[in-house]
């Protein structure tokens, strides 16, 4: 019966992991919560990520650890938060279409410049 319901509504495990992630964000101290929510929002708009929860779970691990240690927000994201999150999400986009297109583009330019065999 659970399989039939999951076919209609989607995977329960993924939804449970998302709710757990959101609860962990909500439990963060004020500044860390705002930074985590802003980072999440950026990833949702520009992440081009799959439905895998790993990136969000790793993100909340980072902010929770920083909150416990008292690490300032700027020490986490640096002076350029966009550079931080772009580099962070690159670790999760190994097989994404953006990465493949970047590789294809770089290879095409290298071939055009005579740096690689065709």
């Amino acid at each position: 019966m659970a399989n039939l319901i999951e076919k209609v509504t989607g995977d329960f495990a993924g939804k449970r992991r998302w709710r757990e992630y959101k609860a962990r964000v909500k439990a963060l101290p004020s500044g860390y919560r705002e930074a985590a929510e802003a980072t999440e929002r950026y990833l949702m708009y520009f992440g081009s990520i799959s439905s895998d929860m790993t990136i969000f779970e790793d993100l909340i691990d980072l902010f929770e650890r920083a909150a416990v240690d008292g690490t300032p927000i700027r020490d986490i994201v640096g002076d350029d938060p966009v550079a931080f999150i772009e580099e962070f999400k690159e670790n999760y986009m190994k097989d994404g279409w953006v990465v493949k297109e970047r590789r294809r583009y770089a290879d095409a330019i290298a071939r055009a410049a005579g740096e690689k065999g065709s």
Side-chain angles (χ1 to χ4, degrees), residues 18 30-31 35 63-64 73-75 77-79 97 114:
W18 180 254
S30 172
F63 280 105
E64 284 177 335
I73 302 281
R74 282 288 178 197
D75 285 358
V77 300
D79 292 332
W97 67 270

Side-chain angles (χ1 to χ4, degrees), residues 2 6-7 12 17 21 35 38 45 49-50 53 68 90 93-94 102 104 114 118:
E6 283 190 6
K7 284 182 180 178
F12 289 142
R17 288 172 68 189
Y21 159 77
Y45 283 114
I49 55 175
S50 69
M53 280 293 302
V68 168
E90 285 291 321
M93 297 177 54
K94 301 275 186 242
R102 285 178 182 162
R104 185 176 298 157
S118 59

Side-chain angles (χ1 to χ4, degrees), residues 85-102:
I85 196 59
E86 288 293 325
E87 188 172 325
F88 187 84
K89 77 176 186 176
E90 285 291 321
N91 294 320
Y92 299 88
M93 297 177 54
K94 301 275 186 242
D95 297 323
W97 67 270
V98 172
V99 173
K100 289 178 184 174
E101 286 304 315
R102 285 178 182 162

Side-chain angles (χ1 to χ4, degrees), residues 17-37 39-40 53-73 76-77 84 88:
R17 288 172 68 189
W18 180 254
R19 282 194 300 269
E20 289 170 358
Y21 159 77
K22 294 299 277 185
R24 291 171 67 188
V25 170
K26 190 175 180 180
L28 285 171
S30 172
Y32 296 96
R33 182 177 56 248
E34 292 168 21
E37 289 171 343
T39 305
E40 173 193 318
M53 280 293 302
T54 306
I55 189 170
F56 294 107
E57 290 168 337
D58 290 349
L59 180 69
I60 193 64
D61 286 345
L62 177 67
F63 280 105
E64 284 177 335
R65 201 169 317 126
V68 168
D69 294 342
T71 305
I73 302 281
I76 303 168
V77 300
F84 161 77
F88 187 84

Side-chain angles (χ1 to χ4, degrees), residues 106-118:
D107 289 347
I109 294 299
R111 278 193 307 276
E115 298 167 357
K116 279 186 169 182
S118 59

